Amino acid sequence: MKFLVVGGAGYIGSHMVKHLIAAGHEVVVADLVAPAPGVQWAKLDIADEAALDVLFGVCRFDAVFHFASFIQVGESVSAPGKYYQNNVAATLSLLQAMVNAGIKHLVFSSSAAVYGNPLYIPIDEAHAKGPINPYGLSKWMVEQILEDFDRAYGLKSVCLRYFNAAGADPEGQLGERHEPETHLIPLILQAAAGRREAVTVFGRDYDTPDGTCIRDYIHVADLATAHALAVDYLLAGGERTAFNLGNGHGFSVQQVIDIARAVTGRQIHVLDAPRRAGDPPRLVADAGKALSVLSWRPEFVSLEQIVRHAWHWELQYPWTTRQG
Ligand code: UDP
């Protein structure tokens, strides 16, 4: 098969590209940043529909994976226009170019943020949608646009609602590096590696056993497997749908720090700070639908293993600058 991976130079997209190439598929990455060496690269902005028309005129893709989006919740509150422009308007231009070219299959990176503050745990796909920030709303808007594009043009999509993507390539070639970094596990490991003074815990007064927020961490390699199963589902004639992707186990911020101390054997200094705006106390997935419909079986379910892979990546990352 021949696939376009939009955002294939990023954290989750790069793991997807590796997975697809290992499975024998032909892959082109559309990104403004260069993908891994040797990967075919179309350097373009998906907001540029004309550039996409040219690409789709040259390459006949069986499906598109769309990973490219801005992901910082706090920034989405202070700069909503940036999020609606990139995550919604640019996606719309991608969808229109797909319609122009007759490409009928899309796997879209959505988020647990579409649910907002959960009404019950674990969260299944039927849970009410109520995003509490522009980031989550941008994902939910695209999901709704996809419903209309299915009805109007027969464009079939699977929306994958990630919980907390974490970990790194088990073979150590790829990992997480955002600029600036805002995610808990890389920040903890940068503190363990001495690249930061400390990690800050945002709130110890939540209604959870130790007072810190609980999240469901899912290994990035297991996310890649789920995407591959999702595209198989679509190519086999599956209807438009959405799946939660998580392990179904919640870990508190304090538990993640404790596990990282055990895995790294390093001191990790912790500072306490007030709650971060927009953080629900507890997010845990019911991923039963992906397990039954896609036969998805996450492989790296222990948080120790997820942190160990991330730590391996952190240690070999060729970057000595002290951060924060
Ligand atoms: N968190 C924290 N300190 C940090 C970064 C994150 O305490 O420096 C907490 C955050 O409040 C949330 C959890 O860790 O409860 C996971 O946050 P992250 O930004 O990694 O992912 P999110 O859940 O926002 O997608």
Side-chain angles (χ1 to χ4, degrees):
M1 292 287 167
K2 184 160 182 160
F3 297 124
L4 180 68
V5 181
V6 179
Y11 170 43
I12 306 172
S14 62
H15 287 80
M16 188 72 231
V17 167
K18 182 176 175 181
H19 184 103
L20 291 171
I21 291 174
H25 299 296
E26 194 179 335
V27 173
V28 175
V29 165
D31 207 310
L32 289 170
V33 176
V39 176
Q40 291 190 73
W41 178 25
K43 185 177 181 181
L44 56 80
D45 185 342
I46 55 161
D48 185 350
E49 194 183 317
L52 285 168
D53 286 341
V54 171
L55 175 65
F56 291 158
V58 178
C59 299
R60 192 73 236 145
F61 294 108
D62 296 287
V64 174
F65 295 85
H66 179 18
F67 292 92
S69 80
F70 293 141
I71 56 166
Q72 288 182 47
V73 168
E75 185 189 45
S76 81
V77 175
S78 55
K82 177 175 170 180
Y83 278 70
Y84 293 122
Q85 175 58 44
N86 184 66
N87 295 7
V88 182
T91 296
L92 197 52
S93 116
L94 171 67
L95 298 181
Q96 198 55 56
M98 288 177 66
V99 170
N100 298 344
I103 302 170
K104 299 279 188 196
H105 305 110
L106 173 74
V107 181
F108 174 65
S109 301
S110 187
S111 167
V114 301
Y115 300 113
N117 282 321
L119 304 175
Y120 57 84
I121 295 284
I123 303 169
D124 58 15
E125 290 82 358
H127 186 287
K129 314 306 177 291
I132 55 170
N133 50 61
Y135 167 70
L137 191 52
S138 74
K139 293 291 179 184
W140 181 231
M141 284 176 173
V142 171
E143 289 206 21
Q144 292 175 290
I145 289 170
L146 287 171
E147 198 173 326
D148 291 339
F149 271 61
D150 179 12
R151 212 173 286 123
Y153 310 114
L155 193 160
K156 300 292 176 194
S157 57
V158 169
C159 295
L160 297 176
R161 297 176 185 150
Y162 311 157
F163 281 64
N164 285 63
D169 174 25
E171 292 169 4
Q173 294 173 329
L174 306 166
E176 182 169 14
R177 189 63 71 190
H178 296 106
E179 206 45 71
E181 190 53 75
T182 61
H183 291 116
L184 181 65
I185 292 177
L187 288 172
I188 291 173
L189 296 180
Q190 287 176 18
R195 286 179 169 143
R196 283 178 189 271
E197 291 291 341
V199 63
T200 305
V201 173
F202 295 138
R204 290 192 181 271
D205 56 349
Y206 286 96
D207 184 16
T208 59
D210 65 20
T212 64
C213 280
I214 292 178
R215 293 290 181 273
D216 180 339
Y217 295 89
I218 177 75
H219 198 293
V220 64
D222 286 324
L223 287 182
T225 311
H227 286 72
L229 293 168
V231 87
D232 287 348
Y233 161 90
L234 283 175
L235 294 171
E239 282 302 316
R240 179 183 53 79
T241 193
F243 297 103
N244 286 343
L245 298 181
N247 278 316
H249 300 293
F251 291 89
S252 72
V253 171
Q254 186 58 54
Q255 284 177 311
V256 178
I257 292 170
D258 292 342
I259 287 170
R261 283 185 173 132
V263 166
T264 64
R266 302 277 182 97
Q267 283 201 336
I268 299 172
H269 297 292
V270 171
L271 301 172
D272 288 338
R275 293 181 180 196
R276 189 173 69 175
D279 270 343
R282 200 185 284 256
L283 287 175
V284 180
D286 176 345
K289 184 175 167 188
L291 268 64
S292 65
V293 176
L294 299 179
S295 300
W296 179 54
R297 296 285 172 271
E299 188 182 344
F300 305 107
V301 291
S302 101
L303 190 59
E304 281 82 0
Q305 198 166 28
I306 291 174
V307 171
R308 199 172 301 119
H309 288 159
W311 179 234
H312 183 239
W313 167 253
E314 183 64 42
L315 284 179
Q316 54 145 21
Y317 193 78
W319 170 47
T320 52
T321 324
R322 203 172 167 84
Q323 300 286 302

